[in-house]
Amino acid sequence: MDKKSAKIVQNDNLVRDIHKMTIDMGACDFSLPGQYAMIEACGMRRPYQVCDFDSNRFTIVFPADGKESRALASLKPGDKVIVSTGLGQGFDVDSIPQETLLVADDMGIPEMLGLARALLMRGISCKLILSYPTKSDIYMLDSFRNLVNEIEVLTLDGSNGREGKASDVIRNASYVCAGGSLEMLKELADRARDGQFSLSSTVLAESADYDDCFIETTKGRLNCSDAGPVFDKNIINWDKIA
């Protein structure tokens, strides 16, 4: 993967430990929403979901909940990092039909923004279903207002009105694009006939070696940082993902 020096131009704390960071690297290599970036900072490296991107900059929204992510969150605008962009396979936006549901819990919300924007540009209308732990954990909601037809928000404790996980809303959906916790994705997989699911916040982010992360599928054992992190949900062997 090609590495480039890049500059942090924005680092905001959204809620609790959730940070929004924009990085300028002159020329980004992203082509699809759902691809990820590998960022090296303070002598450490790890992959990050990409929230949005253009030809020069990209934005990540991430929890500063580990050694690597806390180090990144501590950096200021003007600080330099080493970045590789356009990694992995993202959402195949050309195969996504009208009336698709976009579904995510708080672990998968960031990458839904780029997907929603890409679908809007193709004239695809979507409903967005999001879930958070509590009302005070809600972030990025306003960013979606002009990108989707409808937004439904749940919280695990019901503090924002409706109680539950994002997957609780789904019964027998035709097509779903989703990202988030493994628990939520497994439940959702049984309630959607077709769709594309991102494992970037589960298998990929939790792997000790990001270049040696595999999942079992109907097509055999696939590298989730190369063949994914977005997969056709029907090829994933969900019983073999811990």
Side-chain angles (χ1 to χ4, degrees), residues 122-156:
R122 287 165 172 76
I124 303 296
S125 58
C126 300
K127 177 180 178 179
L128 177 67
I129 303 170
L130 303 177
S131 63
Y132 302 83
T134 72
K135 184 177 181 178
S136 62
D137 292 307
I138 293 176
Y139 67 93
M140 283 184 62
L141 196 55
D142 288 341
S143 301
F144 291 97
R145 296 291 186 194
N146 297 320
L147 301 180
V148 296
N149 289 347
E150 182 182 352
I151 301 176
E152 187 166 353
V153 179
L154 298 84
T155 56
L156 296 181

Side-chain angles (χ1 to χ4, degrees), residues 41-101:
C42 306
M44 294 172 281
R45 67 189 282 267
R46 63 156 289 180
Y48 290 86
Q49 294 180 25
V50 171
C51 176
D52 214 353
F53 62 86
D54 60 25
S55 58
N56 299 313
R57 298 180 174 190
F58 68 95
T59 299
I60 59 175
V61 176
F62 63 98
D65 57 359
K67 185 177 181 181
E68 299 96 335
S69 54
R70 284 195 296 269
L72 184 64
S74 70
L75 299 181
K76 304 290 191 297
D79 287 341
K80 298 292 184 67
V81 292
I82 302 299
V83 178
S84 299
T85 57
L87 303 178
Q89 299 297 318
F91 289 95
D92 180 3
V93 293
D94 290 332
S95 68
I96 297 175
Q98 286 283 356
E99 307 302 328
T100 288
L101 295 177

Side-chain angles (χ1 to χ4, degrees), residues 8-28:
I8 297 171
V9 295
Q10 178 187 11
N11 182 8
D12 297 326
N13 185 203
L14 299 182
V15 295
R16 297 192 182 182
D17 63 349
I18 304 294
H19 284 254
K20 178 182 180 181
M21 177 176 287
T22 300
I23 298 175
D24 190 329
M25 55 187 307
C28 294

Side-chain angles (χ1 to χ4, degrees), residues 207-222:
S207 173
D209 185 343
Y210 309 118
D211 300 320
D212 190 26
C213 169
F214 295 89
I215 67 165
E216 300 295 334
T217 75
T218 59
K219 297 183 177 181
R221 196 165 180 251
L222 299 180

